[in-house]
Structures are given as C-alpha cells and as structure tokens.
Amino acid sequence: MACCTSSDLAAPEPGLASISADDIRADSRSLGNGVSQITLSAPAIHCGACIGTIESALGSLHQVARARVNLTERRVLIEWRETATDAELAGIIATLARTGYAVHTETGEPETDPEFSRLLRALGVAGFSAMNIMLLSVSVWSGAEGATRDMFHWISACIAGPTILYSGRVFYQSAWSALRNRRLNMDVPIALAITLAFIMSLYQVINSAEHAWFDAPVSLLFFLLAGRTADHMMRARARSRVSGLGRLMAKGAVVLQDDGQRRYLPIEAVKPGMTLLVAAGERVPVDGVVIDGRSDVDRSLVTGESAVEVATPGRALEAGVLNLTGPVNLRATSDAKTSFLSSMEAMMTEASAAHGTYRRIADRAAQLYSPVVHLTALISLIGWKLAGADWDFALQVTVATLIITCPCALGLAVPMVHAVAAGRLSRSGILLKDGAALERLAKIDSVVFDKTGTLTTGIPALAGYTGEAATLPFAVALARVSNHPYARGIAAGLADIPAATLADIGEVPGSGVEARSSDGALWRFGSPRWAANDLARTEAAVVLTRNGALLATFRFQENLRRGAFDAVAAVKSLGLATRIASGDAEDRVAKMAARLETDSHAGGLKPSEKIALIQREKSAGRSVLMVGDGINDAPALAAADVSMAPAAASEIGRSACGLIFLNPDLHAVPDAIMIARKAHRLVVENFVLAIAYNIVAVPLAVLGYATPLLAAIAMSTSSIIVVANALRLASYAPRRRDGGSPAAIVIGKGVPA
Amino acid sequence: MNGLMILIPIALFLGFVGLAAFLWSMKNGQFEDLDGAAWRALDDD
C-alpha cells in the first residue's frame, strides 16, 4: 500500500536501546501452558497494510504462538513459546526489523486505563437513559394527561435516579474533592444543578404536578460525559504513544562476574564496584569509570556537548552516554538511584514544585459563574415569593432557572476544544499530554531552545572537503562501516557516490577505520593524528590517507534539524523572543545563534544554570516555552511554564514535557503555538456563546416562562453550537513560511570546498 | 392504556438489550483498537 512509504513518520533515531533476548524474557508475562506474552511498541505502524505485514511475518515463525497488532496504540502483542532459545527470541526482533519496524519495550509500566472504561460505561448508561426518558418526555409534551402522565413521570424517575447516581459519580467526586480543598471548579455547579433538578422533579411527581424535568439532568449528563470522554480519549492516546516511543536508557546491564561469567542484571540490581560490559552502540547504564577498552563516546544527550570524545581507561562516563565504536569495560561508581540521571530527577521535582499550581481556564470561569447563577436562582425564589406566588410556583421557577443556566455549554466549552485541538496536533505529529499545557502554550512570551539534539540533529553535516574526486569512493566505503557521527555525516553527505571495493575493513575505536585495497595499499580514514604521517598539514577533523599520505580532508558543521531556520523565524514572527540555552561550548552556541538569528544565547550552561535562566525570564513576568531533549535539559523543561521535546529526547526529558513532536521537522514548534492560540480563541468564543445563551434564557426562566420543553431545546442547542464551534479547529491550517532552509542544501550533497 | 402496559416494558427491555450489548462489547475489548478494526474489515482471510 502506498501509504507505507510515507516519510513523514518519526525516522528511526540513532542510539535507541536495542532489545535482547534477556529484555524480552524480563518484560514478558507468562500465560501458563508454556506460552509467554510481551507487548512491544512499534511507532512506525500506521495503516492496515502494516497489520498484515507484521502479523504474517511473525506468524511464520514457529516460536511465535500468536501475534496481534494494535493499530490505535501502535503496539504488537506477541505470544511466544517458552521453549524458544535466545537466538529464536532475538529472531523475533530481527524479523520485525527486516520488515521495517523498529520495536521498543515500553518506557513505563504497561498501563490499563480504568478511568477511560469508567467514563465510557457512564456514558453508555447516560445515553441509554437519556434516550428512554426523552421518548417518555415527548409523549408528555404531546399531551399525555392524568394517570398516563404520572406513570410516564414515574418511569422516568425510576430510570433517572440510578443513572444520576451511577453516571453522575464522575462529577460528584470531582466536585467534592474541589470543595474539600475550598475551591470551586466547573463540576460544582454541574453536580448541584443535576441534584436539584432531580429532587425537584421527584417532588413535583409525588404531588402529580404537570411539569417534571427528568430529561434535563440526564441529557445534561450525557452531553458532558461525551465531552469529557472525548477529551480523556485524546490524552490517553497521546500518553500511550509517548510511552511507546523507544527507550534510550538501558533497562539492564551485562555484568562481568568474578568467575569470568557474564550475566545480565536489571538496572536496579547494579551496585557500585561491579564491572560492566558496554558494547558499541549501547548507552552507559550507570555512572562509571572506564577500566578497559577504547572507544568514541557521544555525550550530547547527557550534557549537550556536541563534540565526540575519546574514552580511554580512567575516563568517567555518566549514565546515558552513548558508546559509539568499540566495547569498553566500566567499573560502576553509582547505582541506578544515585546516578547522574537521578540527580536530574531530583532537580526536576524541585523545579516543578516551585512552579505553583496553574488554574485551568474552566475552573477560573466556574469561580465567576457559580456565584452569579446561584444568586440569580435565589433572587428569583425570593422575588416570586415576595410578589405573592405560592411556594410551589416559586420553587418551580427556581429549578427552571438552575436547569436552564446549568453550565452545559460551559462544561463542554473547554474539553471539546481541547479534544479537537489534541486531534489536530496529532495530525501534525505533535502529541499533547495534558490540556493545561495547551492553555499555557497560548500565553507564552518567549521560547528557549536547547541546541544539541533540538536545533541540530546528532549527525554532523559535511560542510566541505579537499582532495580529488577519485578518492571519494574510498572514503565512502570506509565511512559506511562506522557508527561514528563524522562517518555517518560523510556517508549521508556523499550518499550518491558508489563505494570502492576494499578488503579487511576494520574499525579502530577512538581513531578511525582502516582497510586494504586490491593493490595492498593501507587506507585509513579518521583522525589526522592516527591516519596521516605528517599531521602539521591539516586542521580538519577527518582525513583520508593511503599508506600515510594525505589524500582528502573533510570539514563539518552542525547539521540543523529540518525546518530549524524557518521555525525560529516563524516563532519570531509570532512576536516571541527566541533564546538558545545550551550545555555546549560557547563559541559553537554563538555560531548557531548567529546563523539562526536568535535574540540571545547562552552556552556552557550546567542544568542548574538553565533553570536559573528560565527563572530569570519568569521573574521578569514572561511566560516561557522550553524546547529541549537532553537529560541535562530535563530540569529546565520542568521549570518552564510549558515545554516541548522531540520524539528522540531522553525519557526523562519526555516525561517533563507537556507536548512531544514526532516529526523530525522543528516547524512543529510554531505550529503548536499557532494551534494553541487558535484553541484559546475558540475557548473564549465558546464562553461568549454560552454566556450569550444565558443572557437570553435566564430572563425567560426567571420570569417563569421556561417549560421543560423549552429548557430541553435551549440546552441541547447551546451544547451543539459549542461543539460545532470547537470542530472548526479540526480544519485549521497554521500558516507556514515558504522558502528553502539552508540545512536542506547541506544534507543533500557534498559541497566541494 | 392496556397497550401501554405491554409496549413500555418492551421498549425498556429493548433499550436494556442495547445497553447490555454495549457493556459486553466494552468488556471484551471490542473498543481497544478501533483504527485497526476498520482496516481488518478489508482483509481477505
């Protein structure tokens, strides 16, 4: 199917933790009768063809008893036979990789969502009751009288009572917990109106009066639950997709025991002093010191430094550092609880505690709305009594007022907009984890970007080279075997040059790659000091040599994330200040800031200094959006008013963010801001509509003209108008600036210097 | 009036059947993968 070639998905990012047979065993749950079950997430699943491809590929493996794809959650459930060997288990992952789906184990606990099924059940019950009561009410309105009318009312009461107790729980519990904390939220007037409407109707029926309002509270419940369920569903889906993004951090470590045996231990069981084996391509599981081996390490996710460093014995490495080229042995200096990662977590907790609680728009509206409504109802009761009406009529008017002003539209105004906005964001590849983040995103004054991994990708771009074109095929052949960022940069930059044939290709960790051509010459590709005989001649990062003679040199620049240039310009055109806050060296940050024309920049920042920078902004009265990905950004992400991270961010960074963007394109940032602003406008419009409705309906109710029929029509209409207004957001297209980004040119072709 | 005595229980019973069917299908995971179910309908086997 053509859609499977879509390139708009999150590209597989380098440095994800790979899954071993041990990981599968650790994460599986035994179902008895010799079968175990594991759920793996595969973010690349996106259409029906994917279901068929994966299920038939896995179904043909004899170690797999059953495989089932869940397209909504982008997960694969695999039941495997416990007789399977390690190789067969690894074969499952390899099969998936061959079909083009990278899979990950879950980041958090696989969560069931009891809240969602509770909402859905409550919605089902409310829907059933609303329909039946409405049919009975229609019969009453069309002229049922006397005993028939009373019977219809009693049946309605019998249906409405249990429904309000069962489906209304959602609102009663929320209202009660708000009241206990001496606050008012939107659920307080809702709970009050439902209860009063039911009790008054019951009183009317007992006195076999003409009017009863059983349909009002029940259909109100149905509408509100529909909005709330949609809102919850959107957020649950976003959360589940976030937890399905690949994990970067190791779940366990291979420990070298005293007797020379290797054993896989879960990360919690790793103690200081243990010897750990870290293979090329894996991340360091806990802080440690290199005791044996030599390799290149990438610390960009940990500290934000973009330069690759060489790790030799004696070098300390933090948890999360990516080991690129050769295996190393580490002596653990911390366990999982005291590592660098956990100190960042402590800072995050502190930073978000200093945040203060944010009051949602709906709750602020309720604060104003509830007293006004309840006073109006009270005044109309007293007013009619003073005007000489009997208690029955005065009470009837009061209840009619309460029902007709019941914040049906108000209760829908926010959740509906948020649900639609979350759907709209998700179509742009942005996941919204909670609605408060959307409200705050609409209010920001400045955007702080991290540099490494956020404005740039991990792979350096080839900026230029010297040397003859005839030598390039050799460079390409050597570059393709290595995982080193420079090698990957060259392989990507010279992708359309065919590789030369070389034999005995081998990587020398910390130095480069070497090989022999058919004429016996030794080709080396890597750091000048190692590859070239006379290193005085070049300042380039990478050189190509033949028998020690320099043939070509390569220069690099940081590769901008796709759309970075446009995104920063778009953010500025929205009237926001842009800043770069990076842990990388000051001169690199300054260069990047000049290239992107940001308003200000700061380099060489420690995590605590990033927090300080954000807090300075906030104390100047500005509201800050932080965009970052690294472990070192996590505390700053937690400190900012709202934060965004790319899908390839560290788990800890993702967990601190309200929004995650899956596309590699940084234009997600201005898109999200524009959608948030539009959503905010719609929320305000919805409030205005709801209040306008009240201005018309309340006088009618207070003056005693509101019959149950009128109340039912007015309430439903206002709800539908609010929902229809929210749906306008679904087709909203944030305006884009067109124009070539310089980054795109650099990725495409190597530019001869 | 006699007609109502028969019709109303029937109407309520049918409503209950619908509600029970909804709750049953929820419990059985019918709503767990709505997007996937839409595609599976197009599968040949």
Side-chain angles (χ1 to χ4, degrees):
Chain A
M1 218 163 267
C3 69
C4 270
T5 58
S6 151
S7 60
D8 238 17
L9 299 161
E13 300 280 346
L16 286 181
S18 56
I19 305 178
S20 65
D22 293 316
D23 289 324
I24 297 186
R25 284 186 209 282
D27 267 6
S28 292
R29 189 165 63 85
S30 179
L31 298 175
N33 61 38
V35 176
S36 279
Q37 170 188 308
I38 185 169
T39 310
L40 296 172
S41 81
I45 296 177
H46 68 285
C47 74
C50 304
I51 300 179
T53 315
I54 293 178
E55 287 183 357
S56 64
L58 288 179
S60 64
L61 299 176
H62 68 90
Q63 65 268 37
V64 174
R66 194 171 85 99
R68 190 161 172 95
V69 170
N70 186 321
L71 178 64
T72 317
E73 295 182 346
R74 290 161 166 70
R75 279 179 172 77
V76 193
L77 182 134
I78 301 168
E79 288 172 12
W80 51 276
R81 293 179 222 286
E82 281 157 9
T83 51
T85 61
D86 280 4
E88 283 174 330
L89 285 183
I92 296 178
I93 306 300
T95 305
L96 283 166
R98 256 202 314 283
T99 50
Y101 298 93
V103 289
H104 326 290
T105 50
E106 299 291 306
T107 317
E109 289 294 303
E111 50 177 301
T112 51
D113 193 351
E115 175 67 16
F116 180 55
S117 32
R118 200 174 76 133
L119 276 172
L120 212 52
R121 271 200 305 272
L123 179 66
V125 170
F128 158 81
S129 309
M131 277 189 294
N132 283 292
I133 294 176
M134 201 47 89
L135 282 178
L136 293 166
S137 299
V138 169
S139 326
V140 174
W141 297 333
S142 30
E145 278 182 340
T148 315
R149 185 188 64 208
D150 284 353
M151 184 182 70
F152 283 169
H153 278 162
W154 274 112
I155 296 173
S156 301
C158 291
I159 304 173
T163 307
I164 285 171
L165 284 182
Y166 183 82
S167 301
R169 260 189 329 180
V170 179
F171 301 97
Y172 286 126
Q173 281 168 357
S174 156
W176 175 238
S177 71
L179 284 179
R180 235 185 2 199
N181 294 321
R182 298 171 180 285
R183 290 190 298 111
L184 271 179
N185 66 7
M186 203 43 109
D187 292 338
V188 176
I190 290 172
L192 207 63
I194 293 172
T195 317
L196 281 175
F198 180 73
I199 291 174
M200 269 312 295
S201 303
L202 204 59
Y203 172 80
Q204 298 274 44
V205 172
I206 290 169
N207 293 324
S208 48
E210 194 185 340
H211 291 315
W213 289 274
F214 290 113
D215 52 283
V218 176
S219 51
L220 177 69
L221 268 181
F222 177 70
F223 276 122
L224 293 175
L225 280 169
R228 208 153 289 202
T229 310
D231 187 41
H232 186 89
M233 193 160 73
M234 284 300 183
R235 276 182 296 130
R237 195 179 276 196
R239 266 203 308 276
S240 124
R241 283 185 62 185
V242 169
S243 75
L245 293 170
R247 51 183 297 124
L248 296 157
M249 296 309 144
K251 228 174 182 174
V254 179
V255 175
L256 189 67
Q257 288 175 309
D258 296 338
D259 54 4
Q261 293 274 334
R262 294 162 175 222
R263 220 175 119 213
Y264 178 89
L265 288 181
I267 191 93
E268 296 79 19
V270 175
K271 297 272 174 296
M274 285 182 168
T275 306
L276 312 176
L277 303 180
V278 182
E282 286 184 0
R283 283 189 191 274
V284 173
V286 294
D287 300 355
V289 177
V290 179
I291 50 173
D292 194 17
R294 180 183 163 88
S295 180
D296 300 280
V297 292
D298 177 356
R299 300 171 74 209
S300 57
L301 195 69
V302 179
T303 58
E305 290 163 50
S306 57
V308 172
E309 292 166 41
V310 177
T312 49
R315 178 83 155 75
L317 298 176
E318 299 94 338
V321 169
L322 179 63
N323 179 18
L324 290 169
T325 47
V328 291
N329 290 8
L330 288 184
R331 169 155 305 122
T333 53
S334 74
D335 53 30
K337 284 199 200 65
T338 55
S339 69
F340 174 69
L341 208 59
S342 52
S343 70
M344 289 297 110
E345 261 164 28
M347 280 172 84
M348 264 170 72
T349 320
E350 208 174 304
S352 49
H355 227 257
T357 42
Y358 172 78
R359 291 184 47 72
R360 303 279 302 258
I361 292 177
D363 294 341
R364 276 180 285 166
Q367 195 95 48
L368 297 172
Y369 179 81
S370 307
V372 173
V373 167
H374 297 143
L375 270 178
T376 315
L378 191 67
I379 289 168
S380 59
L381 176 72
I382 297 169
W384 277 102
K385 194 72 201 124
L386 290 180
D390 56 7
W391 275 112
D392 263 10
F393 186 74
L395 271 175
Q396 197 182 316
V397 169
T398 312
V399 173
T401 312
L402 273 176
I403 291 173
I404 218 153
T405 55
C406 193
C408 188
L410 280 180
L412 277 172
V414 177
M416 268 324 283
V417 172
H418 282 181
V420 179
R424 176 68 194 81
L425 284 168
S426 155
R427 269 194 291 127
S428 298
I430 304 161
L431 301 177
L432 174 69
K433 270 164 54 189
D434 76 306
L438 193 73
E439 291 179 9
R440 284 191 271 197
L441 188 57
K443 293 287 175 77
I444 54 161
D445 308 294
S446 74
V447 183
V448 177
F449 290 98
D450 168 47
K451 182 179 73 73
T452 317
T454 305
L455 289 171
T456 65
T457 64
I459 308 166
L462 184 59
Y465 58 82
T466 62
E468 305 215 357
T471 62
L472 290 180
F474 292 95
V476 171
L478 291 166
R480 283 195 187 153
V481 301
S482 176
N483 262 330
H484 193 286
Y486 285 154
R488 290 169 52 121
I490 290 180
L494 302 176
D496 46 356
I497 291 180
T501 323
L502 288 168
D504 301 331
I505 298 188
E507 183 155 19
V508 183
S511 304
V513 188
E514 63 181 14
R516 287 189 183 275
S517 55
S518 51
D519 57 358
L522 177 68
W523 292 80
R524 278 183 164 176
F525 166 81
S527 76
R529 200 178 317 178
W530 167 75
N533 286 341
D534 50 343
L535 46 120
R537 277 180 49 193
T538 181
E539 286 176 1
V542 174
V543 298
L544 177 71
T545 64
R546 181 174 180 273
N547 289 334
L550 195 64
L551 294 180
T553 66
F554 301 88
R555 282 186 299 107
F556 297 90
Q557 65 178 8
E558 281 185 282
N559 201 349
L560 283 178
R561 182 179 277 275
R562 182 148 40 107
F565 207 79
D566 291 344
V568 171
V571 166
K572 281 166 77 175
S573 74
L574 290 172
L576 305 173
T578 53
R579 272 166 236 293
I580 301 181
S582 175
D584 204 1
E586 175 68 37
D587 57 325
R588 288 169 188 272
V589 180
K591 226 183 274 176
M592 181 61 61
R595 221 167 129 192
L596 293 174
E597 297 168 7
T598 56
D599 297 327
S600 69
H601 65 272
L605 297 181
K606 289 200 205 50
S608 56
E609 292 167 336
K610 285 198 179 192
I611 295 190
L613 184 134
I614 297 221
Q615 265 152 6
R616 265 203 309 281
E617 286 276 294
K618 284 171 78 171
S619 53
R622 280 191 287 270
S623 180
V624 187
L625 164 68
M626 169 86 198
V627 188
D629 73 318
I631 295 169
N632 62 324
D633 296 320
L637 290 170
D641 293 283
V642 53
S643 45
M644 277 182 91
S650 59
E651 279 95 333
I652 180 171
R654 273 185 232 148
S655 72
C657 281
L659 297 112
I660 313 267
F661 56 100
L662 303 176
N663 285 340
D665 196 323
L666 198 64
H667 220 291
V669 174
D671 282 358
I673 298 172
M674 281 186 264
I675 292 172
R677 285 185 175 180
K678 177 79 182 167
H680 181 73
R681 229 173 8 252
L682 283 175
V683 165
V684 172
E685 276 173 31
N686 271 354
F687 277 134
V688 170
L689 283 173
I691 289 166
Y693 149 79
N694 275 323
I695 288 172
V696 176
V698 169
L700 288 178
V702 171
L703 295 176
Y705 292 116
T707 59
L709 174 64
L710 194 67
I713 293 173
M715 220 173 56
S716 313
T717 318
S718 73
S719 301
I720 289 167
I721 290 174
V722 166
V723 171
N725 192 38
L727 285 174
R728 291 198 303 144
L729 187 59
S731 57
Y732 170 69
R735 81 203 132 82
R736 282 229 172 184
R737 293 157 48 89
D738 282 327
S741 107
I745 303 163
V746 174
I747 304 166
K749 299 255 187 312
V751 188
Chain B
M1 198 66 184
N2 283 339
L4 286 178
M5 284 306 173
I6 304 166
L7 285 174
I8 289 178
I10 291 178
L12 286 179
F13 173 75
L14 288 176
F16 265 117
V17 170
L19 182 63
F22 172 72
L23 293 178
W24 172 85
S25 56
M26 240 188 68
K27 215 173 177 174
N28 274 271
Q30 302 279 330
F31 290 98
E32 266 165 31
D33 184 13
L34 292 174
D35 297 353
W39 281 100
R40 283 178 200 274
L42 302 176
D43 260 4
D44 290 331
D45 49 333

